[in-house]
Amino acid sequence: MAPHFDIAVVGYGPTGLTAASLLGRLGHRVVVCERWPALYGLPRLTHIDDETARTVQAVGDGDEALRDSSPCEYLWVNGKGETLVRIPANPDGPMGYPDHIAMYQPDVESAIDKRLRGYGTVDIRQGWAVTGLEQDDDGVTLRLCGWNTETNCADGARDEVRARYVIAADGSRSGIRELLGVEREDFGFNESWVNIDTEWLRPQPPEFAYGTQYCDPARGHMTINIGTTRQRFEFAVLPGESREEMTAPQAAWRLLRHYHELGPDDVRITRQLVYGFEARIATRWRTGRVFLAGDAAHTMPPYLGQGACSGLRDATNLAWKLHLVLGGLAPEALLDTYERERRPHVTALTQMAIGLGKVANTHDVEAAAARDAAFFAGKVPPPPPFPPLAEGVLRPDGDTPVGTLTPQGRIRLADGRTGRFDDLTGYGFALVAAEDPTPALGPDRLARLTRLGCTVVALDTVDDLDGRHLEYLQRLGAVAYLARPDFALFGAATDTADLAALVDDLDDVLSGTAEAVV
């Protein structure tokens, strides 16, 4: 009989790692199926935001994961090097990290892998491809086949595993999505760029210590620092240039010399390949007990730096909902809110990324000149605000900004321990109040919060070292707020009498008896 797990995670990139670590942390039996025998070991992504860094903190040693990272300022310049847009880097964003972070992906993946291997509940099966699946009323059976790295195909030993639910985080060419017959909507953005990853052989020059997007109609290109020792360069592939031509070493040195006056004495090339930038979203993210996540569900151009961030949001959104359903704390219908919450959010980000991509890929000289003039005249509207969650597991409340992100500051507990809020209070729901809320809640509601894994924090019993949580309450005009495990604001209590109603509303929304915010 095939071994039985709570959740099977297919794919062991950032999204799969995050999902497996969160579910393992919550005590679930998880099996990971990944065709490659080891972690990738090279950087595919280079940017995360402070929300994603907070997620990394929840699934691994955040300091170890980000040990070779740095705040990253972005400049968008035209073909003459004139600044069109400057996006500064806030070194202390609301989540307790810089809001733009240039990071080294292998460090992040290794830190998460190390953490989840210590849970004792996660079975990691690297070197196994999923070749088939069958669903029934109780679970999903995955057929596995050993992956041959020499022939690049599944022709090895065979096995099966069974799980109650499956998270398919197996990338943009998802085999699970293909097995399910799920199509993707194409948003019509398709560009090819050559990616050149390098390591500095000398101290990083100051002009490379930030990200720069060159919106040059002759050839769009960009560079971004990865910490202080690594640098990524990307160049648009022009009509008539082949993939084979652009992946030849001489092409890399020609581009680096022409655009940045760099040669083999300055940098060592560690990876060179052509990427296709696309914007596609799966037509459905759930098929029975199988959920698509990360690039399997959606891909977007990289100009907003939100592709990997969106995948980690998928994982965090799914993990806590699966935890409640598996524990009998919420009906299975809760899982339908995954796509309802995530699809509009990622669609908005995809449209924003496409807009930036069109700026970066303006190849017509006259159109580029008109674009530059509009920027210099201040006629280009600012980008739309980052989208909140608009519906789903949110308190029906028209005045409170439900679905936006709650902050993380540094606190000191009564026993003297000092650190980031999440490290000291744990992972899960959090009820944060200005004063002790227990008298207003009573034993029954406190017991319900405990069953949900909700931490109750009274700020009058801890030192809010940077005042971030108290300031947030003041901004809300509230005495308490209730944060979901994925840091989204469920709702807030305007006064002590509203505290009990806040907890009751969470119960009602989770059980499906209340209308979700629309």
Side-chain angles (χ1 to χ4, degrees):
M1 180 180 293
H4 199 286
F5 297 87
D6 295 324
I7 305 103
V9 176
V10 182
Y12 205 44
T15 301
L17 279 158
T18 299
S21 184
L22 287 174
L23 290 161
R25 178 174 182 170
L26 291 166
H28 296 288
R29 293 192 66 219
V30 180
V31 61
V32 177
C33 305
E34 166 59 55
R35 65 177 179 171
W36 297 108
L39 294 173
Y40 187 61
L42 291 171
R44 288 163 290 185
L45 66 102
T46 58
H47 167 273
I48 59 174
D49 57 21
D50 55 337
E51 177 191 356
T52 306
R54 188 177 181 183
T55 298
V56 170
Q57 174 191 338
V59 297
D61 184 324
D63 293 327
E64 179 181 343
L66 300 176
R67 65 180 183 270
D68 192 17
S69 67
S70 58
C72 186
E73 177 181 290
Y74 282 91
L75 288 179
W76 286 61
V77 303
N78 63 12
K80 300 177 182 179
E82 300 168 320
T83 298
L84 302 176
V85 179
R86 175 179 176 269
I87 304 174
N90 177 4
D92 187 20
M95 297 290 189
Y97 294 91
D99 56 2
H100 293 291
I101 303 171
M103 39 65 72
Y104 186 55
Q105 180 179 350
D107 287 347
V108 174
E109 293 188 348
S110 295
I112 302 173
D113 176 72
K114 180 180 178 181
R115 169 74 64 83
L116 68 83
R117 288 180 185 273
Y119 294 136
T121 60
V122 183
D123 182 355
I124 303 169
R125 301 195 178 193
Q126 291 169 296
W128 291 90
V130 176
T131 57
L133 66 83
E134 295 176 355
Q135 298 195 57
D136 55 43
D137 292 340
D138 299 318
V140 186
T141 298
L142 297 178
R143 293 191 294 275
L144 310 181
C145 188
W147 185 258
N148 189 326
T149 57
E150 294 183 0
T151 62
N152 203 32
C153 65
D155 59 8
R158 299 185 181 277
D159 200 357
E160 288 186 351
V161 295
R162 185 165 171 79
R164 292 180 63 183
Y165 297 98
V166 173
I167 299 174
D170 53 341
S172 61
R173 299 180 181 178
S174 170
I176 298 295
R177 189 184 64 232
E178 184 175 341
L179 288 170
L180 296 172
V182 176
E183 301 293 333
R184 290 190 294 170
E185 179 185 1
D186 190 340
F187 285 67
F189 186 96
N190 294 281
E191 296 284 343
S192 293
W193 285 51
V194 60
N195 171 294
I196 304 168
D197 284 322
T198 67
E199 292 181 347
W200 286 104
L201 299 177
R202 60 184 175 89
Q204 182 187 60
E207 65 267 27
F208 291 103
Y210 48 86
T212 304
Q213 181 74 52
Y214 295 87
C215 306
D216 186 347
R219 186 192 299 270
H221 57 106
M222 65 85 66
T223 180
I224 184 173
N225 62 309
I226 306 174
T228 59
T229 61
R230 300 178 178 91
Q231 199 81 23
R232 169 167 291 180
F233 301 90
E234 292 181 349
F235 301 89
V237 176
L238 302 180
E241 293 178 336
S242 68
R243 180 179 296 267
E244 291 74 21
E245 174 189 355
M246 299 306 289
T247 52
Q250 58 267 30
W253 292 121
R254 172 173 56 84
L255 292 168
L256 291 174
R257 178 68 68 186
H258 177 76
Y259 287 98
H260 299 292
E261 299 183 351
L262 297 174
D265 293 335
D266 303 299
V267 295
R268 179 175 71 88
I269 296 175
T270 58
R271 189 178 73 142
Q272 179 182 349
L273 76 167
V274 171
Y275 268 123
F277 296 158
E278 63 178 25
R280 299 180 182 179
I281 298 180
T283 55
R284 67 177 187 273
W285 295 17
R286 178 183 186 182
T287 303
R289 292 176 171 269
V290 183
F291 300 85
L292 302 180
D295 284 356
H298 47 76
T299 56
M300 68 178 71
Y303 307 101
L304 195 63
Q306 285 295 314
C309 298
S310 295
L312 267 66
R313 291 189 193 100
D314 294 345
T316 57
N317 190 294
L318 260 179
W320 68 264
K321 293 174 180 176
L322 283 167
H323 170 64
L324 295 185
V325 172
L326 287 165
L329 298 169
E332 191 177 39
L334 174 66
L335 301 177
D336 290 330
T337 66
Y338 163 60
E339 183 174 348
R340 284 171 49 206
E341 291 183 352
R342 293 293 305 127
R343 176 185 286 276
H345 191 275
V346 81
T347 300
L349 293 180
T350 299
Q351 297 287 11
M352 292 164 65
I354 289 173
L356 290 173
K358 289 179 179 178
V359 172
N361 289 281
T362 301
H363 302 300
D364 181 87
V365 174
E366 292 184 1
R371 173 203 64 197
D372 297 350
F375 272 101
F376 297 147
K379 296 180 179 179
V380 177
F386 209 79
L389 298 180
E391 59 177 301
V393 185
L394 304 169
R395 190 186 198 194
D397 187 341
D399 297 325
T400 302
V402 297
T404 58
L405 295 171
T406 57
Q408 175 182 225
R410 294 181 62 84
I411 62 173
R412 180 166 48 239
L413 301 182
D415 60 11
R417 287 182 295 151
T418 301
R420 297 186 181 98
F421 182 89
D422 295 352
D423 288 338
L424 297 180
T425 61
Y427 169 74
F429 287 94
L431 178 65
V432 182
E435 299 178 353
D436 182 11
T438 57
L441 295 177
D444 179 63
R445 291 186 180 87
L446 288 171
R448 278 187 269 158
L449 291 176
T450 298
R451 286 195 296 272
L452 291 173
C454 180
T455 300
V456 178
V457 179
L459 294 177
D460 62 344
T461 64
V462 304
D463 289 332
D464 187 16
L465 295 175
D466 51 18
R468 185 163 291 168
H469 303 280
L470 285 170
E471 188 276 333
Y472 181 66
L473 279 175
Q474 292 169 359
R475 187 150 36 98
L476 292 176
V479 299
Y481 68 86
L482 183 54
R484 305 182 346 170
D486 52 6
F487 322 130
L489 177 65
F490 169 77
T494 55
D495 52 39
T496 302
D498 192 30
L499 268 167
L502 177 64
V503 175
D504 291 343
D505 284 345
L506 176 62
D507 264 353
D508 290 344
V509 171
L510 288 177
S511 65
T513 61
E515 290 294 326
V517 171
V518 177

